Amino acid sequence: MLVDVIPLRHRGQRLPAATLRMRTPIRGQLWITRFRPAVDKDTTPLLAALLRDRESLLPPLDWAEVRTVRSWQLIVTGIEDLGFSEKAPQLFRQSWWCRVVLDDETLRR
């Protein structure tokens, strides 16, 4: 689904409301799946990605959950991987505020 997204955290730290209000949303296709090659699909956690033309616009969220849904808005939470290092993994909690982008046809349904 087409959504506008504002990441709510930076390196795991919640951003202040004033900072979030100044941010420009990133528009893309929200993709949530269990698909991972060569992994048991019954136990695989959800993966969320924001894509445009098959290109990732934000680091994907592993162990994704849809936390809140209301009035065409949702919060997707998960673990953001900003790069792997055996000595210092770069895994952080992240939440995306998402607003579904509606067109005239969607509103008529």
Side-chain angles (χ1 to χ4, degrees), residues 4-74:
D4 287 335
V5 171
I6 294 179
L8 301 178
R9 296 175 176 271
H10 177 73
R11 299 184 71 78
Q13 299 298 310
R14 187 180 293 177
L15 295 169
T19 301
L20 294 172
R21 281 192 291 275
M22 294 185 322
R23 292 238 163 142
T24 301
I26 303 164
R27 183 167 288 183
Q29 292 290 330
L30 179 63
W31 186 62
I32 299 177
T33 185
R34 288 191 190 280
F35 177 75
R36 294 169 199 231
V39 175
D40 180 4
K41 290 180 178 40
D42 290 337
T43 60
T44 305
L46 290 175
L47 179 72
L50 186 66
L51 306 171
R52 184 182 308 135
D53 300 326
R54 296 185 180 178
E55 182 179 330
S56 185
L57 301 174
L58 293 170
L61 300 182
D62 205 356
W63 293 88
E65 294 181 30
V66 177
R67 302 292 293 202
T68 304
V69 179
R70 67 173 175 204
S71 178
W72 303 103
Q73 299 175 46
L74 51 114

Side-chain angles (χ1 to χ4, degrees), residues 91-102:
L91 303 175
F92 300 98
R93 291 182 356 180
Q94 179 59 275
S95 299
W96 294 343
W97 172 82
C98 306
R99 181 183 63 219
V100 177
V101 177
L102 302 173

